[in-house]
């Protein structure tokens, strides 16, 4: 009982509560955008490759700007930077509201709409390059360091809870009200997130060497990550697992052509991995992994690959949903271990740069994996062989890393 009280201790801090509410509504909005855009594009094109292009549109700015963003984050007031990012994102959501108005769609034509989606998503990628790492870096300024581990778990749980609700809610709203009104709801959520972060006071700049050149600052962050073999190993393993094992871009095709379910079934399939992840993270928050975390990480990602293969072979909805649910539960172990390593081992003055490196190699791999899925689906002539290929590649990555990174196997915290 005492440990459970300690695990929830970060919620006793007012500004951390505002941050969690902000993170919840903002993440929910971003997940809803991804779900609605993917659904709308597939309905218009009937081609998963079009969804892969969305992933590429977001990956390019996130990957290109990540290192510079880390330099900026460490030299900035993180609260103000996060607020600006959310407000700029609200303008992108407003653009999505406008281009999905029936009158506007009739005026510009259906062939132009996908291009506009790609352009808007590209700009959200620019914003995400700064706001994503800022969200991770600011946590240490909101609570005492002795409960930082618990704050990281709560933050991950809120992110996943919002992700689940975002995917599922988007499916329900699309079915009930259409894409345009769904984007209006998303805009409201983004504005709520902006209000919540505005209640947090401005934060001091922790980095002391403000005269350092941008490249020197960026290089320092990269060198820290590459010197930290455990962190580098966890990031690399997660990167390739997400890159090859991602199925987000292909879920609309599975829902429509393989499983024959409508937008509600599609929304739940989209949410299944996140549902599994939050189950694991809540359990680990209350009953932490106390030993052999590195060893467990390998088996979790191997199990993730097996689940992805199962999903690719299934033609039965409940089996497909269960495969993604279990994949999410195993992925949750990876999320907790990697985020805990990053929070516990990163100096305060480098949190922005290290979070940006993590964003560049792991978070942006979601978008690159989305493109990879769309590309392989076209290459292999369908979504099912592309997913099975991705799951097999994930297993291969685990086997290679098992032998190449012995220190990660022995890692404990």
């Amino acid at each position: 009982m005492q440990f459970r009280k300690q695990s929830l201790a970060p919620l006793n801090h007012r500004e951390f509560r505002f941050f969690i509410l902000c993170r919840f509504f903002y993440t929910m909005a971003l997940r809803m955008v991804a779900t609605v855009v993917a659904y709308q594009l597939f309905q218009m094109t009937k081609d998963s490759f079009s969804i892969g292009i969305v992933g590429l549109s977001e990956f390019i700015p996130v990957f290109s700007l990540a290192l510079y963003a880390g330099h900026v984050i460490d030299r900035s007031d993180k609260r103000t930077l996060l607020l600006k990012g959310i407000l700029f994102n609200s303008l992108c959501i407003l653009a999505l509201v406008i281009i999905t108005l029936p009158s506007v769609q009739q005026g510009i034509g259906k062939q132009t709409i996908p291009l506009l989606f790609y352009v808007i998503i590209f700009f959200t990628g620019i914003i995400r390059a700064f706001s994503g790492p800022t969200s991770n870096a600011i946590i240490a300024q909101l609570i005492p360091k002795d409960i930082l581990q618990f704050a990281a778990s709560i933050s991950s749980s809120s992110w996943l809870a919002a992700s689940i609700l975002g995917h599922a809610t988007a499916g329900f709203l699309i079915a009930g009200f259409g894409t345009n009104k769904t984007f209006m709801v998303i805009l409201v959520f983004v504005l709520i997130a902006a209000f919540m972060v505005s209640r947090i006071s401005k934060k001091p700049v922790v980095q002391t060497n403000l005269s350092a050149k941008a490249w020197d600052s960026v290089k320092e962050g990269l060198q820290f990550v590459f010197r930290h073999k455990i962190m580098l190993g966890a990031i690399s393993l997660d990167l390739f697992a997400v890159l090859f094992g991602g199925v987000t871009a292909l879920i609309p095709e599975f829902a429509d052509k393989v499983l024959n379910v409508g937008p509600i079934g599609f929304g739940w399939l989209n949410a299944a991995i996140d549902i599994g992840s939050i189950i694991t993270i809540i359990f680990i928050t209350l009953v932490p992994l106390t030993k052999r975390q590195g060893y467990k990480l390998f088996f979790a990602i191997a199990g993730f690959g097996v689940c992805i293969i199962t999903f690719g072979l299934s033609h039965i909805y409940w089996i497909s949903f269960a495969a993604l649910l279990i994949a999410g539960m195993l992925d949750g172990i990876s999320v907790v271990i990697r985020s805990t390593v990053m929070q516990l081992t990163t100096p305060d003055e480098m949190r922005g740069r290290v979070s940006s490196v993590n964003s560049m190699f792991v978070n942006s791999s979601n978008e690159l994996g989305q493109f990879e899925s769309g590309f392989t689906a076209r290459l292999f002539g369908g979504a099912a062989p592309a997913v099975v290929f991705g799951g097999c590649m994930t297993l291969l990555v685990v086997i290679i890393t098992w032998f190449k990174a012995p220190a990660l196997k022995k890692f404990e915290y």
Side-chain angles (χ1 to χ4, degrees):
M1 181 64 71
Q2 180 63 31
F3 181 82
R4 291 185 180 181
K5 287 183 179 179
Q6 188 180 13
S7 67
L8 299 176
L11 295 176
N12 294 328
H13 297 265
R14 174 177 173 274
E15 290 195 332
F16 184 75
R17 293 197 300 271
F18 281 129
F19 169 76
I20 289 298
L21 288 171
C22 165
R23 188 171 177 81
F24 179 85
F25 282 104
Y26 192 48
T27 301
M28 187 171 178
L30 295 182
R31 286 304 194 187
M32 290 176 73
V33 168
T35 302
V36 178
V37 169
Y39 182 83
Q40 181 72 10
L41 278 174
F42 187 77
Q43 293 304 309
M44 294 173 65
T45 64
K46 297 298 180 182
D47 185 358
S48 292
F49 187 68
S50 64
I51 305 174
I53 295 298
V54 172
L56 186 63
S57 298
E58 190 166 11
F59 166 78
I60 290 173
V62 170
F63 188 85
S64 302
L65 294 172
L67 295 178
Y68 176 72
H71 166 73
V72 173
I73 293 166
D74 280 334
R75 296 165 61 92
S76 304
D77 161 27
K78 296 176 179 59
R79 172 266 191 189
T80 302
L81 193 61
L82 181 59
L83 179 58
K84 288 179 179 178
I86 295 173
L87 291 175
F88 279 124
N89 218 318
S90 69
L91 297 178
C92 293
I93 308 301
L94 180 60
L96 290 171
V97 171
I98 293 171
I99 68 170
T100 53
L101 287 168
S103 58
V104 173
Q105 289 189 338
Q106 291 176 1
I108 61 180
K110 289 188 176 180
Q111 292 183 341
T112 307
I113 293 174
L115 178 61
L116 293 177
F117 274 132
Y118 300 145
V119 171
I120 293 171
I121 295 301
F122 179 85
F123 281 106
T124 64
I126 295 175
I127 297 166
R128 183 182 156 190
F130 291 87
S131 62
T134 304
S135 295
N136 291 322
I138 197 175
I139 296 175
Q141 292 187 299
L142 302 176
I143 44 90
K145 287 187 178 181
D146 60 341
I147 55 173
L148 189 55
Q149 177 182 351
F150 305 116
S153 294
I154 292 172
S155 178
S156 296
S157 298
S158 69
W159 184 89
L160 285 165
S163 195
I164 293 166
L165 286 175
H167 285 313
T169 303
F172 283 111
L173 290 176
I174 292 170
F177 303 102
T179 56
N180 180 253
K181 288 185 173 60
T182 302
F183 280 129
M184 291 181 184
V185 173
I186 294 170
L187 180 60
V188 172
F189 287 163
V190 173
L191 293 177
I192 292 174
F195 173 75
M196 291 300 171
V197 80
S198 71
R199 302 298 302 275
I200 299 173
S201 62
K202 293 183 177 182
K203 299 301 172 189
V205 177
V206 180
Q207 187 180 4
T208 55
N209 187 13
L210 298 179
S211 62
K213 295 181 180 179
W215 172 243
D216 291 336
S217 176
V218 165
K219 187 167 61 174
E220 187 181 6
L222 276 173
Q223 288 174 341
F224 177 84
V225 173
F226 279 93
R227 282 197 303 265
H228 200 293
K229 299 301 182 184
I230 301 299
M231 182 188 295
L232 180 62
I235 288 175
S236 301
L237 189 57
D238 204 14
L239 183 157
F240 288 106
V242 171
L243 175 62
F244 292 114
V247 297
T248 303
L250 302 180
I251 288 178
E253 184 169 340
F254 271 91
D256 186 71
K257 295 183 178 180
V258 179
L259 303 173
N260 299 309
V261 296
I264 294 177
F266 159 69
W268 281 111
L269 276 179
N270 239 4
I273 288 181
D274 291 332
I275 293 173
S277 294
I278 195 170
I279 290 171
T280 295
I281 288 178
I282 290 174
F283 180 79
I284 291 176
T285 299
L286 300 176
V287 185
L289 298 170
T290 55
K291 58 183 179 179
R292 303 188 74 185
Q293 289 91 345
Y295 188 79
K296 293 171 183 175
L297 176 64
F298 276 96
F299 279 92
I301 295 182
F304 176 85
V306 172
C307 290
I308 295 303
I309 294 172
T310 303
F311 175 77
L313 296 174
S314 171
H315 287 74
I316 301 173
Y317 181 81
W318 72 266
I319 293 178
S320 300
F321 182 85
L324 293 180
L325 181 74
I326 297 171
M329 294 175 71
L330 296 169
D331 183 56
I333 296 174
S334 173
V335 169
V336 168
I337 293 174
R338 179 171 46 81
S339 62
T340 302
V341 169
M342 192 170 67
Q343 289 289 347
L344 293 179
T345 60
T346 305
D348 287 343
E349 68 274 11
M350 297 185 67
R351 290 189 182 277
R353 282 165 288 175
V354 172
S355 294
S356 292
V357 172
N358 179 70
S359 176
M360 183 176 71
F361 287 112
V362 176
N363 295 340
S364 61
S365 65
N366 287 287
E367 285 69 45
L368 188 59
Q370 191 173 336
F371 174 73
E372 181 269 342
S373 297
F375 176 77
T376 52
R378 174 169 288 189
L379 183 67
F380 295 149
V387 170
V388 172
F389 169 78
C392 291
M393 290 299 294
T394 299
L395 292 177
L396 180 61
V397 167
V398 171
I399 293 170
I400 293 173
T401 310
W402 177 270
F403 292 104
K404 294 292 185 180
L408 184 58
K409 282 190 295 184
K410 301 175 183 178
F411 170 70
E412 291 186 349
Y413 58 80

